[in-house]
Amino acid sequence: MLASADELRRAPLLAQLTAAELARVCARATIVRLRAGEWLFRQDDPATRFYFVRDGQMRLFRLSADGEEKIVEIIGPAQTFAEATLFMGTGYPVCAAALEPCVLIGLDAADFAAMLRDSPSTCFALLASLSQRLHALIAEIDRLTLHSASERVASWLLEQLPPGAYALTLQVPKATLAARLSIKPETWSRIARRLSARGLIRVTGNRIDILDVAALRALAAGSD
């Protein structure tokens, strides 16, 4: 067996599956290994599998007509992606490429969909998980369209803070992070310098210390 039920159960999307259902998913799973920068699929490619990230980080993005990338989401360990293919019956709606060396578990989309048809409770659990993710993406769209660049950066920094912590380490290149926030890399650097000068944060390499949480929250809320 290439995948274990215990590791797949770490994904919110798969956590509600029964032991028998997880065994069925594992039996049809494949392992995919990607080098940093390697593409997994392109938008509109035939969609036969969705994926669980065992190790590494993936970036999901759309390509404009002139080839410019718009990052939709960054996916890390114990997360799944491309699940929408279970219901769409079309090709992948985005491109996917590895930000760093990755190990993925590919899950059979057609068999998973057939399993859902046999189990309404599992189907509803899956829809609940997808709905939560959709709400998160809608909130992200609101931030990208309604907030200033400084507000988006402040909001992102607060979201990334581990519970009870006041520091975080950037896990992706700054250019990738800037693209995720719909700003230029130089804009990210300029905002980081401005926040540092105001005493809100301190940047040391990839480490960012939050020095004034209250002020950062005020900025993120647009009340600064």
Side-chain angles (χ1 to χ4, degrees):
M1 185 177 294
L2 297 174
S4 74
D6 286 342
E7 67 180 335
L8 290 182
R9 201 180 287 281
R10 292 189 296 147
L13 185 72
L14 306 173
Q16 302 304 314
L17 297 184
T18 66
E21 289 168 339
L22 275 173
R24 174 173 170 173
V25 170
C26 290
R28 292 164 174 79
T30 61
I31 298 296
V32 180
R33 302 179 188 277
L34 300 174
R35 300 181 301 275
E38 187 174 358
W39 289 49
L40 176 63
F41 54 73
R42 297 176 181 269
Q43 61 198 54
D44 300 323
D45 279 355
T48 58
R49 291 187 176 274
F50 67 104
Y51 295 89
F52 171 92
V53 180
R54 176 183 279 175
D55 294 298
Q57 291 189 99
M58 297 290 295
R59 77 182 195 277
L60 307 184
F61 57 97
R62 296 273 297 176
L63 288 176
S64 64
D66 59 3
E68 184 178 351
E69 290 186 11
K70 169 51 187 164
I71 295 180
V72 176
E73 200 168 4
I74 295 173
I75 306 295
Q79 291 183 288
T80 54
F81 64 96
E83 312 93 327
T85 60
L86 293 168
F87 306 100
M88 294 170 60
T90 59
Y92 292 111
V94 296
C95 305
L99 275 170
E100 58 191 14
C102 286
V103 179
L104 311 176
I105 299 175
L107 307 177
D108 188 318
D111 186 71
F112 198 93
M115 186 174 68
L116 293 179
R117 286 192 288 271
D118 295 336
S119 176
S121 61
T122 301
C123 189
F124 276 106
L126 176 88
L127 289 174
S129 177
L130 289 177
S131 295
Q132 290 176 347
R133 191 162 171 182
L134 177 61
H135 282 296
L137 289 173
I138 290 173
E140 179 69 13
I141 291 171
D142 284 343
R143 284 193 293 271
L144 293 177
T145 55
L146 301 178
H147 293 186
S148 71
S150 294
E151 290 167 358
R152 295 201 295 273
V153 170
S155 179
W156 184 87
L157 288 172
L158 291 169
E159 289 174 357
Q160 303 309 305
L161 276 181
Y166 294 93
L168 60 101
T169 301
L170 297 182
Q171 302 293 332
V172 298
K174 291 178 182 178
T176 300
L177 175 55
R180 180 71 182 90
L181 296 174
S182 291
I183 58 178
K184 301 289 186 182
E186 55 269 26
T187 303
W188 165 269
S189 298
R190 185 168 60 252
I191 292 172
R193 287 195 299 269
R194 188 183 306 146
L195 296 180
S196 296
R198 292 176 55 186
L200 274 65
I201 66 174
R202 179 175 59 243
V203 180
T204 309
N206 286 335
R207 177 187 169 97
I208 300 179
D209 291 280
I210 308 301
L211 305 179
D212 192 333
V213 173
L216 201 62
R217 284 177 179 156
L219 175 58
S223 57
D224 179 61

